[in-house]
Structure formats: C-alpha cells, structure tokens
Amino acid sequence: MTTTTYSISRSSTVTRTAAVVGILVVAGLIAAPWWAGRADMRLLSEMFLYLSLACLWNLLAGYAGLVSVGQQAFVGFGGYMLFALAIFAGVSPIVAIPLAGILGALVAVPVALLIFRLRGAYFAIGTWVIAEVFRLSFAQISALGGGSGTSLPVAIVRGMASNRSMREATTYWLALGMAVLVLVVIYMLLRSRNGLALTAIRDSEVASESFGIDIWRHKFVVYIIAAGLTAMTGALIFLQKLRISPDAAFNVNDWTAFVIFIVVIGGIGTLEGPIIGVIVFFLLRETLSDLGTTYLLILGVVAIVVMLKAPKGLWGTLKERTGLELFPLSRRVVKNKSDK
C-alpha cells in the first residue's frame, strides 16, 4: 500500500548545486593574490564593495520598503570614522573598520527616529537631506582636513603590512570578506522569523499589519543593520583610497545612484539581483568608460529600457518565468510517497 505525505522544504537540487559552486568561487577568489594582477585585484575589490552596498540598499528598499537616496551618509561617516580612529586614537585601520560600523549603527538610531516620521517621497528626500548635513558637518572639521580632506599618514599605512603587495592583498581580502559577510547576514536575516515578516511587509504592509506584524520595529532594525554594515563598507572603501574628502565621501552619484542602478538592473527584492546587477554594471563600465559622459547616458538608457521591459530586473524576470532560485529562501510543499 502506497501512502502519500507532505513536507515543507527550502532546498532543491539547484540551490545545493549553487551552494557548491559558490563555495568554489569564493575559494578561487581568496587565492586571487596568487593568480591575479594588481589591476584585476583592484577591480575585484571595487566589485565586492559595490556588491555590499547594493545588497544593503536592496534590503532596505526591496524588503523593508525604505527607499533611501542618502546612503552615502553612512559611507562617508564610516570612512571618516576610520581616519579619525586611526589618526587621533592610534587604532589599527583593520580594527577601526568594525568600530566604524558600530559607530555608524549608533548614529543611525537618532537619524531613524527622525526620518521615520516621513513617508514615501518625503522619506527619500529626508535621507538625502541628512546626507548633506553629514557632508557639511565633516567639511567644518579642520582636524580632518575640512573641505579639502586629508590623507592617511604614511606610518599608519606602512603599519598595516610589511610591503605594498601585502597591503593590497590585505585590503582585497577585507573587501571580499565584507561582501561575504553582508550576503551571509542578509541571508540569515531573511531565513529567520524577522525575514518572514519582512517578506510579508514587502508584499503588503496593510495585510502584514492586520496579522499583527510590528512594521515600525522591523523597519527600524533593518535600517540600523544596513547603516552599520554600510559604514563598515565605507571605511573599507576609503582604506583602499588612503584619502578622504567631503565631496568624495558623500558623493550621491558614486555611493547611491550607481547602487540603485545595480539593484534595479539585477532585480529588486531578490538576493541574487544585486550579484547580477554588479556584473552587468562593471561590464558596461569597463566597456564604455572611454566614452566619457556618453557612458552615463547609456547607463540611463539601459536602466529605462530594463524598467520598461522587465520591471522586476533581469533576475526577477527570470525567476518569475522559471521559478529559479539560487538562495533557498522560499518554502515549497514536497510530496513524499512511501510503501507500507
């Protein structure tokens, strides 16, 4: 006699294969200092840092509905905290990175309490205004170079590693580790009960509230987590550059507009979307950057075409048509048959 039972499963052959491939890719990337050139490592580091920023913005906008155009506030804040801790407190730059993240999360608390009073477009404008306040405030701090900025002292840079190659390898590994950390944190968050609540909020805030989900609390937690990790990413960005200025640290084009482009192209509200978006963005940038301002016009046209033809992004459209998923986040009912 054959009996049928049902169970809930998240993993599939595709997700298990993707996990193995992902581990192999990360292992290969860890070994990059032994097989890649200096320019390749710098490009890969930049990709990892943009991937971190894109995943965090996607968590805010794609899951919590917090469309921020002022995330450069925490990128710049993290960068300045790294320089301040290293120059004035004598903290090692590597130790200063997580400290910058903690300080970023702490400063995000009063910011969140203020801008969470705003809704929709007013929230987005409010985040941009906050970022401008940060930029103007740091431009007034003469100890950090004021409006012209400052460089990391040579003694601190030399203290990181014995030679330039080792320093570049260290910053590369830190950038790779940052991207992996952000992906793991977001993945674990989305698999938890809080992640289930966030998915419900993404689908319908009204329905979520009717089921007793505390929308404000979940959004607040997501905002603080995103701010802290964005500040850590910002610290890493300017550790690579070794120089910081208000205009570079709080640049809306570099740290928010390009990040939004990456998420929109890849697929907002999916964990795979920012990965696809980063690959597409850097392919376009490396191919078209010699065209000058025309390159930015082409990026704009690409974004408009994708938003018109595939509003859910490249990965979102593929997922909608095929049900393909690389990260096991969805739950599915599995039919099991057994003989008794």
Side-chain angles (χ1 to χ4, degrees):
M1 178 181 176
T2 302
T3 59
T4 303
T5 59
Y6 296 90
S7 60
I8 304 295
S9 176
R10 281 181 158 174
S11 63
S12 65
T13 304
V14 173
T15 58
R16 285 190 288 272
T17 305
V20 173
V21 172
I23 291 170
L24 292 175
V25 169
V26 171
L29 291 172
I30 291 173
W34 289 278
W35 57 260
R38 180 170 291 168
D40 297 329
M41 283 175 52
R42 193 164 188 83
L43 179 63
L44 286 170
S45 299
E46 201 176 352
M47 290 180 70
F48 299 148
L49 295 171
Y50 265 101
L51 175 61
S52 302
L53 294 177
C55 287
L56 293 167
W57 191 86
N58 183 45
L59 177 66
L60 281 177
Y63 287 93
L66 298 169
V67 181
S68 168
V69 292
Q71 285 307 95
Q72 68 273 18
F74 299 105
V75 173
F77 181 83
Y80 267 106
M81 288 303 100
L82 172 89
F83 276 62
L85 289 167
I87 295 173
F88 304 126
V91 177
S92 162
I94 295 174
V95 177
I97 292 169
L99 293 178
I102 294 170
L103 293 171
L106 290 175
V107 82
V109 173
V111 172
L113 294 175
L114 178 64
I115 63 170
F116 273 30
R117 297 171 180 269
L118 306 174
R119 292 287 182 273
Y122 295 104
F123 175 85
I125 294 169
T127 59
W128 177 77
V129 171
I130 292 290
E132 282 299 294
V133 171
F134 274 46
R135 185 180 69 82
L136 294 171
S137 300
F138 279 101
Q140 304 305 315
I141 303 175
S142 56
L144 287 170
S148 58
T150 186
S151 299
L152 209 56
V154 175
I156 294 175
V157 176
R158 287 180 176 171
M160 285 177 56
S162 55
N163 54 54
R164 182 178 176 180
S165 298
M166 194 60 207
R167 180 177 64 78
E168 290 178 345
T170 302
T171 53
Y172 167 82
W173 284 323
L174 288 172
L176 174 60
M178 190 69 225
V180 173
L181 173 67
V182 167
L183 282 171
V184 169
V185 168
I186 295 176
Y187 173 69
M188 297 303 291
L189 177 65
L190 294 178
R191 280 182 68 95
S192 67
R193 287 174 60 87
N194 289 328
L196 194 61
L198 280 177
T199 306
I201 292 170
R202 177 192 63 183
D203 294 340
S204 172
E205 284 197 15
V206 176
S208 306
E209 201 163 18
S210 68
F211 280 105
I213 295 175
D214 189 338
I215 294 176
W216 192 94
R217 183 173 64 82
H218 282 93
K219 287 187 175 185
F220 180 77
V221 170
V222 165
Y223 189 81
I224 301 303
I225 291 173
L229 291 173
T230 300
M232 285 180 66
T233 307
L236 261 172
I237 289 170
F238 288 96
L239 178 61
Q240 284 192 326
K241 295 179 181 298
L242 302 178
R243 177 166 177 79
I244 194 167
S245 68
D247 289 341
F250 300 98
N251 190 307
V252 65
N253 217 30
D254 288 344
W255 314 127
T256 299
F258 287 157
V259 168
I260 293 174
F261 174 87
I262 288 169
V263 177
V264 168
I265 292 294
I268 191 168
T270 65
L271 204 47
E272 298 88 345
I275 300 173
I276 304 296
V278 163
I279 294 171
V280 172
F281 172 70
F282 276 87
L283 280 175
L284 289 172
R285 198 190 75 169
E286 294 303 304
T287 307
L288 305 172
S289 57
D290 291 339
L291 300 178
T293 53
T294 307
Y295 147 71
L296 294 174
L297 292 175
I298 294 174
L299 285 187
V301 171
V302 170
I304 291 170
V305 170
V306 171
M307 284 189 284
L308 289 175
K309 299 295 182 183
K312 294 185 177 180
L314 298 177
W315 184 262
T317 303
L318 180 67
K319 182 181 178 182
E320 189 177 52
R321 294 179 179 175
T322 64
L324 190 63
E325 191 178 53
L326 301 182
F327 291 90
L329 294 174
S330 302
R331 293 174 173 82
R332 56 178 62 85
V333 178
V334 179
K335 182 190 288 185
N336 304 305
K337 292 184 178 180
S338 60
D339 295 326
K340 287 188 176 179

